[in-house]
Amino acid sequence: MAIKTTIILRTLVLVLATLVSLPLVARTLVEGARIWPAPDHTRLVLDTGGEVDHNIFSLSGPSRLVIDLKNTSLKADFAALDLEGSPIKRIRSAPRNGNDLRVVLDLKSDIKPRSFQLEPNQQYGHRLVVDLIDEGGSRIEKATAPTVTQDSSGKRDIIVVIDAGHGGEDPGAIGPRGTREKDVVLKMAKTLADLINRQPGYTAKLTRTGDYYIGLRNRTILARKYNADLFVSVHADAFRTPQPKGASVFALSQRGATSETARWLANSENRSDLIGGAGGLSLDGRDDTLAGVLLDLSMTASINASLGVGSSVLGQLGGVAELHKPGVEQAAFAVLKSPDIPSILVEAGFISNPQEEKNLSTEWYRTRLAKAIMGGIDDYFQKTPPPGTLLAWQKQNGQSGGGVSHYRIQRGDTLSGVARKNQTTVSELMQFNDLRDDRVMVGQTIRIPAS
């Protein structure tokens, strides 16, 4: 009897152990997939039910990328993905080793793969990201070739590079009604680029023209490849409560400048990079002491110019939107860290504020903001044009940029008083500067049309 009882107990233990172990073999699901083609890479994103143990490797003849996912099964429909504009010809998948999943990308050419996982955010859950990087440069060459429009006398345009924040898998901040920062700022950046390109003496370039992500360092690298005179990054702010509102302008902080100059000195590859944008100062071959002095001088000049153009832009924004802070703020944002290119970051408003989210969703409001930013940029460069540009030639020869003069509002000034002094009308000044009303701020620069 005792032997029988022992056998029964052992059997029960084995059954219970089997039942307890069953949940451990439950497979992770690939629940969805997205693809984001960019000029220099394509990003494939797999939505997963949790973290996945994976491995990727490339094959040639023909070109393929294999993605093996352990203890995973497929729920997503790869056939529904739009592969246009990507190096992927077809995506195949099949179970492997019983519990695993193999995904194969048939490619048009060889690529360099990179993979990593992302934690859940407010829009997506766990994700496996696979980047297909075009090392040959065939797809990015057109995007990065610098174009400088010159007239017959060699007077070049001022190059303004406009950077729409976030993109692709990174939506940025999301408003209460679901408005995504990445969409708002791309539309606004394109509007600003159109305004700049219509202005004589200027050429605008965009870091991204579609819904894809560019690394923060790569955005400033693009600006350098375009020989930018100014880099403007466009964003929309957010806060955990809906009350904060207003537009802001940022330049690089001294703390950010110090860490960046140290990074440039520590990285030998940076020594051969061009410093000074179109100016042409190189660190190549310099010893550490001299390179450090040159970097400090360049960074100081860049920050001072950034603060100058930022103040001009903020003054114009104050005429069409509420300001979050009265002056240019400074922070260590990565996109502001070019030691050779004046750089500002414009927060167009708080997308977390219901009213500002509604405003930023409309074309008319984004256009007003873009016109204000353009007005601030033009105000600054009319006063301090880079050497060799059309604006510098016009200033040297006493010519106005397109029959327009500029006036900085002083204490006690009213718009009606400025209109009388310049033999124009309040309504004409409001229309010319895209002002909502006749209120002006001390330090604000307004454009005066030629009589």
Side-chain angles (χ1 to χ4, degrees):
M1 185 69 180
I3 296 173
K4 265 188 177 181
T5 303
T6 302
I7 293 171
I8 291 170
L9 286 172
R10 284 179 179 174
T11 305
L12 285 171
V13 168
L14 286 171
V15 170
L16 286 170
T18 304
L19 290 172
V20 168
S21 66
L22 280 176
L24 298 178
V25 297
R27 284 181 284 180
T28 303
L29 283 178
V30 176
E31 299 166 344
R34 290 175 301 286
I35 194 163
W36 309 98
D40 63 335
H41 74 282
T42 291
R43 174 161 290 186
L44 174 66
V45 182
L46 303 181
D47 292 313
T48 60
E51 291 188 10
V52 290
D53 189 358
H54 73 284
N55 180 48
I56 64 172
F57 58 92
S58 299
L59 297 171
S60 297
S63 299
R64 287 156 291 161
L65 179 68
V66 179
I67 309 169
D68 283 334
L69 301 99
K70 291 186 178 179
N71 199 32
T72 305
S73 58
L74 181 66
K75 183 181 177 184
D77 181 13
F78 289 136
L81 289 176
D82 182 5
L83 304 179
E84 186 176 355
S86 79
I88 305 172
K89 293 193 292 187
R90 184 177 58 154
I91 302 179
R92 298 178 281 126
S93 64
R96 180 174 179 268
N97 296 337
N99 290 327
D100 300 342
L101 174 68
R102 169 164 285 185
V103 178
V104 179
L105 312 184
D106 294 321
L107 304 171
K108 299 171 186 174
S109 60
D110 289 342
I111 53 88
K112 178 183 177 182
R114 175 182 63 187
S115 69
F116 55 93
Q117 297 190 62
L118 291 174
E119 294 291 326
N121 61 17
Q122 61 185 125
Q123 186 170 11
Y124 301 114
H126 287 276
R127 287 152 291 162
L128 172 63
V129 178
V130 180
D131 283 340
L132 315 176
I133 302 166
D134 175 18
E135 287 194 301
S138 58
R139 297 174 63 228
I140 196 173
E141 189 175 350
K142 293 179 182 177
T144 59
T147 302
V148 179
T149 305
Q150 294 181 324
D151 67 9
S152 57
S153 302
K155 295 181 284 291
R156 70 173 182 87
D157 283 357
I158 291 171
I159 307 299
V160 182
V161 171
I162 306 159
D163 170 51
H166 307 281
E169 194 64 15
D170 177 13
I174 300 176
R177 298 194 305 168
T179 306
R180 300 181 300 185
E181 180 183 0
K182 68 171 184 176
D183 300 326
V184 167
V185 297
L186 179 59
K187 291 173 183 176
M188 189 169 155
K190 287 181 175 180
T191 300
L192 179 56
D194 288 341
L195 291 171
I196 290 173
N197 283 325
R198 290 204 297 264
Q199 185 82 357
Y202 289 91
T203 292
K205 298 290 183 182
L206 290 163
T207 57
R208 70 177 179 99
T209 57
D211 189 10
Y212 50 85
Y213 182 77
I214 299 175
L216 299 179
R217 291 287 180 186
N218 288 340
R219 296 170 191 250
T220 57
I221 290 171
L222 276 172
R224 191 165 292 110
K225 287 182 177 179
Y226 283 130
N227 294 320
D229 295 286
L230 176 65
F231 178 85
V232 181
S233 190
V234 183
H235 288 255
D237 219 335
F239 197 66
R240 60 180 179 271
T241 61
Q243 286 79 21
K245 57 183 177 179
S248 306
V249 177
F250 286 84
L252 184 63
S253 65
Q254 189 55 51
R255 180 173 60 85
T258 302
S259 64
E260 185 64 11
T261 52
R263 190 186 75 86
W264 275 72
L265 286 170
N267 189 344
S268 59
E269 292 180 2
N270 286 328
R271 297 301 182 88
S272 59
D273 280 2
L274 189 68
I275 303 299
L281 172 65
S282 175
L283 296 182
D284 201 15
R286 315 282 188 179
D287 62 42
D288 284 354
T289 302
L290 179 56
V293 171
L294 292 173
L295 266 175
D296 283 340
L297 289 171
S298 182
M299 184 67 87
T300 300
S302 178
I303 290 177
N304 287 339
S306 302
L307 289 169
V309 70
S311 178
S312 185
V313 167
L314 193 69
Q316 291 293 324
L317 282 171
V320 300
E322 186 170 342
L323 298 181
H324 185 60
K325 293 287 179 65
V328 177
E329 300 176 70
Q330 292 182 263
F333 294 131
V335 291
L336 299 177
K337 290 186 176 181
S338 288
D340 51 338
I341 305 169
S343 305
I344 61 172
L345 185 146
V346 178
E347 296 280 8
F350 278 79
I351 205 167
S352 53
N353 179 283
Q355 184 57 51
E356 292 201 339
E357 178 193 22
K358 183 179 178 181
N359 290 343
L360 290 168
S361 300
T362 62
E363 184 179 357
W364 70 269
Y365 187 74
R366 292 193 304 267
T367 300
R368 286 166 66 88
L369 292 175
K371 285 181 178 179
I373 296 170
M374 175 59 210
I377 292 170
D378 189 44
D379 286 343
Y380 176 79
F381 281 121
Q382 290 287 348
K383 297 180 189 116
T384 56
T389 61
L390 176 63
L391 268 66
W393 181 85
Q394 287 175 337
K395 184 177 181 182
Q396 184 178 357
N397 290 273
Q399 295 188 15
S400 171
V404 178
S405 60
H406 301 80
Y407 178 76
R408 185 176 290 276
I409 300 296
Q410 308 295 319
R411 189 173 300 278
D413 277 340
T414 62
L415 197 62
S416 59
V418 173
R420 283 195 302 272
K421 287 179 186 176
N422 292 276
Q423 299 180 338
T424 184
T425 64
V426 171
S427 60
E428 187 171 7
L429 287 179
M430 287 176 61
Q431 183 177 4
F432 199 67
N433 291 277
D434 202 21
L435 301 177
R436 290 181 296 181
D437 51 46
D438 61 357
R439 290 179 295 178
V440 289
M441 297 173 56
V442 174
Q444 179 181 351
T445 302
I446 61 173
R447 305 168 75 209
I448 311 295
S451 300

